[in-house]
Amino acid sequence: MSVKKMVGIFLYYFYCIACRLLPRQRNRISFISFPDASDNSWHLYRFLMGDLAKTEFVWLVQDTTCEEKIKSFGDVAGNKVTVIKRWSVKGFYYFLTSRIVFYTHGTYFFVGPSSYAPVLVNLWHGMPIKNIGFMDGKEVSNVAHSDYLLATSDFYQDIMANSFGINREKVLVCGLPRNDVFLKQTGSRDAIFERMKIPIANKLIVWLPTYRVSVVGDIRKDSTSNGFLDELTDGFLGNLNTLACLNNFNVIIKLHPMDSLNTNSHDAGLENISFLNALEWKEIGVDLYDVLSVSDALVSDVSSVIIDYLSSSNSIGVIAKALDGYKRSTAFDLDELRALVTQISTPGDFVGLLDGKAVSPGAMERRRNLNSKERGSEGACLSISRLFCADLRVDTNVY
C-alpha cells in the first residue's frame, strides 16, 4: 500500500470522528470552486445571496486575494460572508460544521461517506463530452465523493451516475447554475464590452479551446497535438483578424485554466482578437458565463461548454482538426458532435457563424440541456435552493 493511500485512510477515519464530534450549523453553507470564486459554485452563490436570509456563506479558497470579489455583494437579508483558506485547520473546521457544501472539482482527497458529515453536492463543471471519473478508468481515491450530483437532462443522468459511482436517483436533473445566465442575463452587455475593450456596435465570438496538454489537476495529454494553435494553418489568426475588422466582430480567445499554454503570454497584436491566458483573464475580472450570455457565437472543441451553449439560440463552431486529433474516450460518439455544430476549417467559417449559415441544433440535441427558454425552465439555482435550502429562503424567514 502506498504512503498516500495510508495517509488517506488515516485522514478519512479522522474525518468520520470529527463529523461525529462537531455538530453541523443549520445556517452555514460552504462553497468550493476551481479557480476560486468561479463556475457553478459562483453562480449559485450569487443567486442564494439574494434568495436566502440569515445565512452564513463560507468560501473555502486556495488564495484569499479573491475575498474582495466574493464580498462585493455585501451582506443581504442578514447574511454573513466568510472567506477562509481551504487547506487550513480553520477551513476544515468550517467545512465539517457546514450544513451543506457545494463544489465544482472536489473537496478534500480523503473525504468519503459519513452519516454525520455535511451534505456534499457536486455541481461539477459541465456535462461531459469526454469520459470522466470511473468512466475514464479513475481509482476511487481520484473521484470526488458526492452525495448528490447535477445533470442537465435525462441523457446525462446515467452518465453522471456512472462517472461518480452513485445511484441514479441522487443525480438531480435540474440543470447547471452557470447556465441560468442564458435564461436571465445577469451582466450588462455594454459594461462587459467596455471592460473587454470591444466596440459596442460589434458582434462577439467567444473562442474557448480546451487543453490538449494539462499542467494543473489531472495531468494528461488528450490529443495528438500539444495545443490548439498547432491545429491552425499558417497565418490563420492574422487572416481571421482581417475578416473580423472587415465584418465588425471581435474574437476573445480564453485559455482553459489547466492548459499548458497558460505558461506564456500570447499577445499577437491583433486589433480584433484578444488572446488571454488564465492570469490575464483573472485580472480583467469578468465572469466567463456573463460574457457568454452577451456573445453572438461560440467556438470550442471537445468541451462541455458546447452543451451549456445549447441554452442560447446562437451558433456553435468547433475546430475540425480538434475532433480529428482527439484521443480520449468520449461519453458519446464524436459524430454526434459533428452533427451538432459547424466545423471550422478556415477563418471564413467564423463569418458563417454570424450570417445565419451555421448549423442550428435540433430539438433532440437541445434536450441534452434543459436550461432553455424553450422548455420553460425555472433555472437551476432556484431548483437547488428549493431542494436544499427551503427553510432558509427569504419567504420562509420570520423577522
Side-chain angles (χ1 to χ4, degrees):
M1 183 182 294
S2 69
V3 174
K4 181 180 179 181
K5 283 188 176 181
M6 292 176 64
V7 171
I9 291 172
F10 171 78
L11 290 174
Y12 169 65
Y13 283 111
F14 172 78
Y15 165 72
C16 292
I17 293 170
C19 286
R20 283 177 173 267
L21 296 176
L22 298 173
R24 288 178 287 170
Q25 302 299 309
R26 169 185 168 271
N27 67 334
R28 179 173 291 163
I29 297 175
S30 288
F31 298 86
I32 305 172
S33 70
F34 172 78
D36 290 332
S38 69
D39 213 282
N40 283 311
S41 291
W42 176 248
H43 286 270
L44 180 61
Y45 163 72
R46 293 197 310 191
F47 177 85
L48 293 181
M49 176 61 80
D51 193 57
L52 307 185
K54 301 178 182 177
T55 302
E56 181 180 16
F57 294 94
V58 178
W59 272 94
L60 302 174
V61 300
Q62 186 73 22
D63 184 352
T64 55
T65 56
C66 61
E67 183 170 1
E68 183 178 352
K69 171 186 175 180
I70 291 171
K71 290 187 174 181
S72 63
F73 289 89
D75 293 341
V76 179
N79 294 326
K80 178 184 177 182
V81 180
T82 304
V83 180
I84 313 170
K85 282 198 171 184
R86 176 159 62 110
W87 291 100
S88 66
V89 173
K90 186 177 180 181
F92 189 52
Y93 169 79
Y94 271 78
F95 174 84
L96 290 170
T97 56
S98 295
R99 159 209 185 115
I100 187 168
V101 180
F102 295 107
Y103 55 95
T104 62
H105 288 69
T107 55
Y108 298 90
F109 71 91
F110 51 83
V111 165
S114 175
S115 301
Y116 300 89
V119 177
L120 301 179
V121 182
N122 188 346
L123 306 175
W124 199 235
H125 40 281
M127 294 297 97
I129 293 176
K130 47 203 167 192
N131 283 342
I132 60 172
F134 293 123
M135 291 182 70
D136 191 36
K138 294 287 192 299
E139 296 183 358
V140 173
S141 59
N142 292 320
V143 178
H145 170 69
S146 313
D147 293 316
Y148 294 92
L149 279 158
L150 306 185
T152 60
S153 65
D154 294 338
F155 171 82
Y156 272 113
Q157 191 175 28
D158 288 323
I159 289 176
M160 296 302 286
N162 293 333
S163 296
F164 288 90
I166 70 174
N167 293 332
R168 188 175 189 270
E169 295 72 25
K170 294 297 184 72
V171 181
L172 310 174
V173 182
C174 64
L176 300 181
R178 69 187 189 186
N179 290 353
D180 282 359
V181 298
F182 298 115
L183 302 177
K184 183 179 180 181
Q185 188 174 305
T186 54
S188 162
R189 182 182 184 277
D190 288 359
I192 290 172
F193 272 43
E194 182 178 357
R195 180 67 70 88
M196 303 298 297
K197 298 180 180 178
I198 299 171
I200 297 298
N202 278 15
K203 290 189 175 182
L204 171 62
I205 297 176
V206 179
W207 187 349
L208 300 176
T210 193
Y211 61 83
R212 310 300 190 265
V213 178
S214 62
V215 292
V216 178
D218 186 12
I219 309 299
R220 62 191 304 154
K221 182 174 181 180
D222 283 345
S223 176
T224 55
S225 64
N226 292 318
F228 82 102
L229 292 173
D230 295 341
E231 298 160 359
L232 306 179
T233 56
D234 291 341
F236 190 101
L237 292 181
N239 292 332
L240 175 59
N241 183 67
T242 298
L243 288 173
C245 294
L246 290 173
N247 292 277
N248 300 314
F249 68 86
N250 281 66
V251 179
I252 294 174
I253 304 174
K254 178 195 173 294
L255 293 179
H256 191 284
M258 293 168 61
D259 199 325
S260 60
L261 296 178
N262 279 293
T263 55
N264 299 311
S265 179
H266 300 274
D267 183 9
L270 304 172
E271 306 96 307
N272 283 32
I273 298 179
S274 301
F275 199 131
L276 302 165
N277 62 29
L279 179 59
E280 291 165 338
W281 182 266
K282 181 180 179 180
E283 290 173 348
I284 291 175
V286 180
D287 180 79
L288 172 60
Y289 274 68
D290 285 342
V291 175
L292 286 176
S293 73
V294 299
S295 67
D296 297 284
L298 168 73
V299 172
S300 190
D301 37 70
V302 188
S303 171
S304 61
V305 71
I306 291 172
I307 305 302
D308 293 346
Y309 208 70
L310 292 174
S311 297
S312 76
S313 58
N314 298 331
S315 299
I316 302 171
V318 165
I319 303 300
K321 285 190 176 180
L323 298 179
D324 297 335
Y326 201 73
K327 298 193 303 183
R328 187 169 167 184
S329 298
T330 53
F332 57 86
D333 197 315
L334 287 183
D335 284 340
E336 295 182 61
L337 184 60
R338 290 184 175 92
L340 190 65
V341 301
T342 295
Q343 293 190 60
I344 304 291
S345 299
T346 70
D349 294 329
F350 278 73
V351 180
L353 292 176
L354 300 173
D355 66 7
K357 296 178 182 179
V359 173
S360 178
M364 182 61 71
E365 288 79 10
R366 287 194 183 279
R367 279 198 284 272
R368 296 187 190 279
N369 190 340
L370 57 73
N371 288 75
S372 170
K373 292 179 181 178
E374 296 175 2
R375 298 192 56 164
S377 171
E378 66 180 10
C381 292
L382 179 56
S383 297
I384 293 168
S385 182
R386 287 173 173 168
L387 282 168
F388 295 106
C389 312
D391 59 315
L392 297 176
R393 300 189 68 218
V394 170
D395 57 6
T396 62
N397 277 267
V398 177
Y399 291 89

